[in-house]
Amino acid sequence: MLPAAVTAAFDGTLVVLGRLRQRAIVRTTGETSGLTTAMVLLHLHAHASALAGAKIVCQLVLLFGSARAARRLPRLHVTKPILVEDMAFSRQIVGNRLVVFLASYSGTLVVGSFLGIAQYRRHCFGAAGRAGTIVELGISSRSAQARWPMPLY
């Protein structure tokens, strides 16, 4: 996620500076490198890992290409008070998203841990999927009752 955010910042810098041709070249190069990586890894039987590897390669090419095209590097000057304030601000957001993530994937994780990956994949549209939904509903109703307190300012 961090490379994508920094890439978006460099991308915006290229748009503001009017370097749309360079931006298009970086985008085309990044997508082409991702596609090429996916094809090579799929040819080597990497399966789902091929798609993850292709996405990582694409993001890195976009990041370094847009940084080079913008000819600027970000100045990171983070002081301790800023870091403490950022951590306090993001603590509740990250906690809330973690609860939602665990609640939404809990059924899949529980059923997958009992059945194993191969059996879960074969039965994911059958009883395993329904059992996962039941577990997920039970946990999501509990997580709805235990919401993170949000202070009103």
Side-chain angles (χ1 to χ4, degrees):
M1 283 178 27
L2 183 62
V6 177
T7 301
F10 281 127
D11 214 23
T13 303
L14 290 175
V15 170
V16 167
L17 296 174
R19 296 182 186 162
L20 299 180
R21 181 177 170 87
Q22 291 172 329
R23 179 180 182 257
I25 291 170
V26 168
R27 287 297 221 186
T28 305
T29 305
E31 294 297 332
T32 304
S33 65
L35 177 64
T36 305
T37 303
M39 289 173 28
V40 167
L41 290 176
L42 285 171
H43 181 72
L44 296 173
H45 305 291
H47 304 295
S49 301
L51 302 176
K55 183 66 176 172
I56 291 169
V57 167
C58 178
Q59 282 295 319
L60 290 176
V61 169
L62 288 174
L63 174 65
F64 292 121
S66 60
R68 183 169 183 203
R71 295 185 191 127
R72 294 181 181 185
L73 291 177
R75 283 178 272 172
L76 298 176
H77 183 68
V78 180
T79 61
K80 188 173 180 177
I82 292 174
L83 185 64
V84 169
E85 185 178 336
D86 284 349
M87 295 301 276
F89 174 76
S90 62
R91 181 180 57 227
Q92 294 212 355
I93 295 170
V94 171
N96 216 355
R97 288 192 178 208
L98 185 62
V99 168
V100 170
F101 171 78
L102 290 175
S104 64
Y105 285 101
S106 61
T108 304
L109 295 173
V110 168
V111 172
S113 66
F114 283 119
L115 295 179
I117 294 173
Q119 289 179 348
Y120 179 72
R121 189 174 65 205
R122 268 188 262 140
H123 298 97
C124 71
F125 296 112
R130 286 189 290 279
T133 304
I134 291 169
V135 171
E136 182 179 331
L137 285 173
I139 290 178
S140 66
S141 65
R142 292 290 178 212
S143 67
Q145 293 173 359
R147 296 247 188 240
W148 289 85
M150 296 297 289
L152 298 174
Y153 294 110

